[in-house]
Amino acid sequence: MSFPPPSLASLATEIASILKTRKETIAIVETACGGLISSTLLSVPGASAFHKGGVTLYTLESRIAFGGWTKENLKTYDGPTPTICEGLAHHLRLTLPTRPTYILAESGTAGPTPSGSSSKKNRQPGYCAMAIVGPEGKVLRSVEFETGEIGREGNMVGFAERCLRELMGVLREKD
């Protein structure tokens, strides 16, 4: 068995190297990736030096328990958006006792079927939103994208890869 997928392994190694060299840290909030981003980063030896934790908020119920949501949030929820990811990232940042340098949050529709009864693009398989919050809670990246895939596994890996690439972009911008 090969883990993480090859498309993620080199990204994780490079991200880990940058974070460790700078003595910076990260925490992850995942929904559609189901822990794949965290587990990919944790597969790098010495991950405890830079990975401060993560949560997988796969269900709306888990967002109430661990994501800072209220029942009111559920009433207005209409699928994943970059704004929702920003909120989840901010909540995790404020929840951890030692604030990480960066928090990456993603939320998407992995498929193979649409999420909910809406035909909106953010409810269709292959849609993902993500945000990266940095020091002082500043939003450093907030984007949405589509993989063009229907299959669940392909979308999960595609989402994780794009999120890690966006993180790499943020880290390179700091240079």
Side-chain angles (χ1 to χ4, degrees):
M1 178 170 135
S2 176
F3 184 85
S7 64
L8 304 180
S10 60
L11 284 167
T13 299
E14 191 172 352
I15 288 166
S17 176
I18 292 169
L19 291 173
K20 286 194 279 189
T21 298
R22 294 180 183 169
K23 296 183 177 10
E24 294 178 333
T25 58
I26 190 158
I28 310 292
V29 180
E30 298 180 71
T31 71
C33 286
L36 184 56
I37 297 169
S38 278
S39 61
T40 294
L41 292 172
L42 289 168
S43 73
V44 177
S48 61
F50 65 88
H51 191 284
K52 292 303 171 193
V55 292
T56 301
L57 304 177
Y58 189 72
T59 64
L60 296 179
E61 181 179 299
S62 67
R63 292 181 191 189
I64 290 174
F66 308 112
W69 280 30
T70 66
K71 292 186 183 206
E72 194 60 37
N73 293 109
L74 298 182
K75 290 178 186 174
T76 60
Y77 180 72
D78 195 24
T81 65
T83 302
I84 286 173
C85 293
E86 291 171 22
L88 292 170
H90 283 297
H91 178 76
L92 184 58
R93 179 179 177 274
L94 296 175
T95 302
L96 289 170
T98 303
R99 293 200 174 130
T101 313
Y102 306 99
I103 301 89
L104 183 155
E106 67 78 19
S107 187
T109 306
T113 58
S115 171
S117 59
S118 175
S119 62
K120 293 174 65 174
K121 80 173 183 176
N122 68 335
R123 296 296 208 137
Q124 302 307 308
Y127 171 89
C128 188
M130 63 88 59
I132 299 171
V133 171
E136 308 303 319
K138 181 180 178 187
V139 176
L140 303 175
R141 188 74 44 106
S142 186
V143 299
E144 58 185 350
F145 58 91
E146 297 174 62
T147 64
E149 299 241 354
I150 298 295
R152 185 175 196 77
E153 297 89 355
N155 280 325
M156 291 173 75
V157 171
F159 295 166
E161 181 177 350
R162 176 69 184 269
C163 288
L164 290 172
R165 288 191 187 285
E166 294 290 342
L167 175 59
M168 181 61 69
V170 165
L171 296 174
R172 286 182 177 151
E173 286 170 7
K174 189 174 176 185
D175 286 338

